[in-house]
């Protein structure tokens, strides 16, 4: 069965520091992979997606993610975090008629 | 493009009544729509997958008679919470995928349901 794991429930970083959010998936074939961000009380916004090709994908707001097939990972990174990046981040796996999310990582940014 | 509108954004209802939540894809056709429930500080729990013109597929543990899903057109899906109880209070989010081509899902802004 497919699953998505985000090992870090909560991460705190200083503004300007680099960020990496981890995501591991389990799926029989190569899945479509996504990162979404959710601000409090809001819906989800797509940050970036991976379908195929270049394993390093660029997204909005300065985010990027790298697909590593050997590690079944799709970690999200940002070189310099801004206070406005504080939010909940969800990794997702989509394939065929299914779309499943990890448990999310809550990001706190301190001045 | 690819906007999903969910209505209402907030609703308060009395215990025992039914509430309908609408999910519309405004500028694209969506063969598949998904309904999620999100508990505080928790991830999104997939409740059901809705395909236009056919019965929804419910995830294990989701009561299909309580959470009625209708997907009558390529741009509209509805979730009706029947005989709502306080434990049904939650944040419900819908998402939609393009009929063909793109595979990412686009999300509505969510509906905060409070049952009193």
């Amino acid at each position: 069965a497919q699953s998505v794991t985000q090992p870090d429930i909560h991460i705190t970083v200083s503004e300007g520091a680099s960020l990496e959010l981890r995501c591991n998936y389990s799926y029989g074939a190569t899945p479509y992979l996504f990162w979404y961000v959710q601000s409090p009380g809001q819906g989800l916004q797509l940050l970036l997606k991976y379908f195929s090709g270049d394993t390093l994908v660029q997204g909005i707001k300065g985010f990027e993610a790298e697909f590593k097939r050997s590690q079944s990972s799709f970690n999200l990174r940002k070189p310099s975090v801004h206070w406005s990046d504080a939010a909940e981040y969800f990794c997702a796996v989509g394939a065929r008629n299914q779309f499943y999310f990890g448990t999310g990582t809550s990001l706190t940014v301190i001045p | 493009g690819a906007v999903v509108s969910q209505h209402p954004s907030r609703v308060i209802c009395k215990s025992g009544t039914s509430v309908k939540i609408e999910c519309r894809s405004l500028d694209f056709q969506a063969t598949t729509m998904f309904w999620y429930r999100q508990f505080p500080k928790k991830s999104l729990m997939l409740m059901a997958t809705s395909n236009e013109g056919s019965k929804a597929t419910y995830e294990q543990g989701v009561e299909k008679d309580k959470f009625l899903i209708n997907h009558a057109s390529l741009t509209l899906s509805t979730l009706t919470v029947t005989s709502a109880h306080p434990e049904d209070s939650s944040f419900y989010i819908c998402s939609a995928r393009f009929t063909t081509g793109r595979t990412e899902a686009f999300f509505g802004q969510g509906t905060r349901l409070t049952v009193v």
Side-chain angles (χ1 to χ4, degrees), chain A residues 1-3 26-28:
Chain A
Q2 62 283 334
S3 67
S26 173
Y27 190 73

Side-chain angles (χ1 to χ4, degrees), chain A:
Chain A
Q2 62 283 334
S3 67
V4 183
T5 302
Q6 292 181 246
D8 305 304
I9 297 174
H10 187 216
I11 285 182
T12 300
V13 298
S14 299
E15 190 169 15
S18 63
L19 171 71
E20 182 170 33
L21 302 182
R22 295 182 292 166
C23 173
N24 292 95
Y25 68 91
S26 173
Y27 190 73
T30 300
Y32 300 131
L33 297 163
F34 308 86
W35 275 98
Y36 287 85
V37 60
Q38 184 183 33
S39 297
Q42 300 295 314
L44 280 74
Q45 181 183 24
L46 178 68
L47 285 176
L48 48 77
K49 60 194 178 193
Y50 172 78
F51 293 161
S52 64
D54 192 348
T55 56
L56 183 64
V57 293
Q58 303 295 322
I60 63 172
K61 303 184 180 185
F63 286 93
E64 66 176 27
E66 185 172 13
F67 170 59
K68 293 185 177 180
R69 184 189 303 274
S70 61
Q71 299 177 18
S72 296
S73 69
F74 188 57
N75 295 347
L76 181 71
R77 300 193 293 251
K78 186 169 184 178
S80 178
V81 171
H82 189 262
W83 64 266
S84 60
D85 294 325
E88 191 82 20
Y89 291 80
F90 293 98
C91 181
V93 169
R96 297 183 180 177
N97 207 33
Q98 300 168 324
F99 212 90
Y100 292 94
F101 286 85
T103 50
T105 298
S106 178
L107 175 65
T108 298
V109 180
I110 55 177

Side-chain angles (χ1 to χ4, degrees), chain B residues 41-110:
Chain B
K41 303 297 184 182
K42 297 292 185 182
S43 183
L44 287 81
M45 181 192 77
L46 178 64
M47 298 175 66
T49 302
S50 166
N51 290 296
E52 184 265 337
S54 62
K55 291 183 178 180
T57 301
Y58 289 82
E59 295 297 301
Q60 189 173 7
V62 178
E63 299 176 61
K64 60 181 180 181
D65 294 330
K66 180 167 188 63
F67 299 99
L68 300 179
I69 292 173
N70 182 277
H71 192 162
S73 75
L74 286 172
T75 60
L76 173 64
S77 177
T78 61
L79 167 67
T80 301
V81 183
T82 63
S83 186
H85 291 282
E87 57 265 32
D88 298 324
S89 299
S90 193
F91 194 58
Y92 293 87
I93 303 177
C94 73
S95 71
R97 293 173 99 169
F98 275 68
T99 300
T100 58
R102 305 170 69 172
T103 62
E104 68 263 43
F106 298 90
F107 288 81
Q109 290 302 100

